[in-house]
Amino acid sequence: MKKRGHTCLIATTMATVFLVMMVLYGTINSQPFEGSSSFRRDYQLLGRPLYKLDISWPKYPELFGGDAFGVAVDQYSGVVYVAQRGENVPKVLVFSTDGDFLMAWNTSTLEMPHGIFVADAASSSPTVWITDVGNGPYGHCIKQYSPSGTLLQVVGTPGKAGSGMNPLQFDQPAEIFVHSSGEIYIVDGDGGMNNRLIKLSRDQEVLWMHGEKGQGLAQFYIPHSVTVDNYQRVWVADRGNKRIQVFNSVTGDWLGTWGSCFTEDAPYSVRLTPDKKYFVVVQLNTNQITLLDAPPVGVIGQCQVVSVIQLADEVKPHLVDLDLKTGALYVAEIGAQQAQKFTPFSLGGSFL
């Protein structure tokens, strides 16, 4: 009898520990997908834990109906935009950072959204930029929308795949990054003809460009994501070459390459934490979100992995964004057909 009580106590304790770990580190996916198990944790933190899954966001995950390709955060308004694809689904879902559903964009002006970015978030008139990689009459261009989904302008020639001869005629543009100065950075080439990094002025004049396909320095094969740090450096996820390339944001000069961290899978997305200490990089095929040390000014060196969030098989994380106010990380997942939120641990410092 005493032995049975001891066994029960052990079982209860193990169940409690498992429940706590599920709350802190992961959750069984609300939408089953191929390769998942009903008793398998979808998320596991490897290395030094920096983030934990927020299982309460969003409050109504069943609203996702398509493949989530991109996510963008307006930290000032507390709004998260998720770009998705699919038949008879809204192209953009809008949530609050607390998980409430706010609205959907049922716009006919978007074919196949890819990258999404909130510009001028600190102003009274933020806008949402979306790259469209569709092959129809509205594709191959970049679009600027109001927060409610009204089309404001189109950059590029809709419906016409570009060539290297015309910098503003795109072919499956992957992502756009709009700096607080108004300067625009575009990676053009999600598998199309172009493989380019373009910098535009606030008035959309070309300031500099790298546009050669290849494996050499300042050449690209499927440039997929771009971000800019505080030290006049541009970081590009050069997906097809399994590396990140770095450039001077003013001159466009090549500064360095990171490749040693991506031998198993390519970097698909690159963003900085609010404190600029870490790069957040997504690797779709290995289902990982990796945090790398950000080097100080004047140094590129080689990449150093700090922490890895290992997602379940077939989640397929694609692009990420961060809330620059709270440090929360949002990831768009193609395979799981959802976006999810991770919040930074308070242990070991803050991302703010």
Side-chain angles (χ1 to χ4, degrees):
M1 190 72 175
K2 183 176 180 181
K3 183 175 180 181
R4 182 190 301 173
H6 181 64
T7 303
C8 260
L9 178 61
I10 293 174
T12 303
T13 302
M14 290 180 67
T16 302
V17 169
F18 179 78
L19 179 60
V20 170
M21 289 179 69
M22 289 292 290
V23 170
L24 286 179
Y25 301 116
T27 179
I28 295 174
N29 194 347
S30 59
Q31 298 186 32
F33 50 91
E34 185 179 356
S36 68
S37 167
S38 59
F39 292 99
R40 177 178 177 176
R41 278 210 328 253
D42 279 354
Y43 300 96
Q44 174 186 9
L45 272 74
L46 305 177
R48 181 155 58 94
L50 297 178
Y51 278 93
K52 58 185 176 182
L53 179 66
D54 183 346
I55 62 175
S56 66
W57 194 96
K59 294 178 181 177
Y60 302 101
E62 64 273 12
L63 290 170
F64 293 110
D67 299 336
F69 267 76
V71 60
V73 186
D74 181 342
Q75 71 271 21
Y76 295 97
S77 299
V79 175
V80 181
Y81 300 87
V82 181
Q84 62 174 3
R85 302 181 197 171
E87 294 294 328
N88 301 315
V89 299
K91 294 300 193 295
V92 176
L93 297 175
V94 187
F95 300 90
S96 74
T97 51
D98 292 328
D100 294 310
F101 174 70
L102 301 178
M103 70 177 75
W105 293 6
N106 293 294
T107 176
S108 61
T109 60
L110 268 176
E111 290 183 7
M112 296 180 66
H114 190 275
I116 183 168
F117 187 88
V118 177
D120 299 316
S123 73
S124 58
S125 55
T127 59
V128 182
W129 291 83
I130 301 177
T131 63
D132 193 333
V133 298
N135 290 313
Y138 296 106
H140 296 299
C141 55
I142 302 173
K143 296 155 186 179
Q144 183 188 35
Y145 291 88
S146 73
S148 61
T150 300
L151 181 62
L152 302 177
Q153 71 164 315
V154 176
V155 180
T157 306
K160 187 174 182 180
S163 68
M165 301 301 293
N166 184 348
L168 296 184
Q169 191 172 327
F170 306 112
D171 188 353
Q172 299 185 30
E175 194 176 65
I176 181 172
F177 184 96
V178 183
H179 193 265
S180 57
S181 65
E183 295 173 328
I184 300 170
Y185 299 83
I186 298 167
V187 280
D188 176 28
D190 185 40
M193 181 188 310
N194 298 336
N195 290 271
R196 307 185 300 187
L197 167 64
I198 307 169
K199 181 182 179 180
L200 305 180
S201 69
R202 177 186 288 272
D203 299 324
Q204 298 176 15
E205 297 293 329
V206 177
L207 298 179
W208 53 259
M209 180 178 70
H210 293 286
E212 291 186 9
K213 180 179 179 180
Q215 300 177 346
L217 306 184
Q219 295 179 331
F220 299 103
Y221 179 42
I222 312 180
H224 200 259
S225 181
V226 58
T227 196
V228 181
D229 66 16
N230 287 348
Y231 303 133
Q232 297 182 340
R233 298 180 297 192
V234 184
W235 301 76
V236 178
D238 186 6
R239 191 184 107 189
N241 287 322
K242 290 187 176 181
R243 64 186 181 182
I244 289 177
Q245 294 201 73
V246 193
F247 301 86
N248 182 291
S249 65
V250 178
T251 64
D253 292 338
W254 180 88
L255 298 177
T257 298
W258 281 358
S260 61
C261 295
F262 311 114
T263 55
E264 292 187 14
D265 191 20
Y268 274 66
S269 184
V270 58
R271 285 290 183 267
L272 273 165
T273 54
D275 61 3
K276 312 303 180 186
K277 290 183 178 179
Y278 306 105
F279 282 103
V280 180
V281 176
V282 160
Q283 294 168 277
L284 180 141
N285 295 300
T286 53
N287 300 288
Q288 292 179 338
I289 305 171
T290 303
L291 280 89
L292 309 173
D293 267 325
V297 61
V299 176
I300 300 297
Q302 268 303 328
C303 50
Q304 299 290 331
V305 175
V306 175
S307 184
V308 174
I309 306 173
Q310 181 64 57
L311 284 67
D313 293 344
E314 304 305 324
V315 167
K316 302 300 181 186
H318 186 247
L319 293 173
V320 299
D321 201 17
L322 286 99
D323 185 329
L324 299 182
K325 182 178 179 182
T326 67
L329 165 66
Y330 296 83
V331 55
E333 301 165 352
I334 298 175
Q337 294 189 319
Q338 64 186 7
Q340 290 196 297
K341 175 184 179 180
F342 294 81
T343 55
F345 278 105
S346 59
L347 299 177
S350 170
F351 287 121
L352 305 182

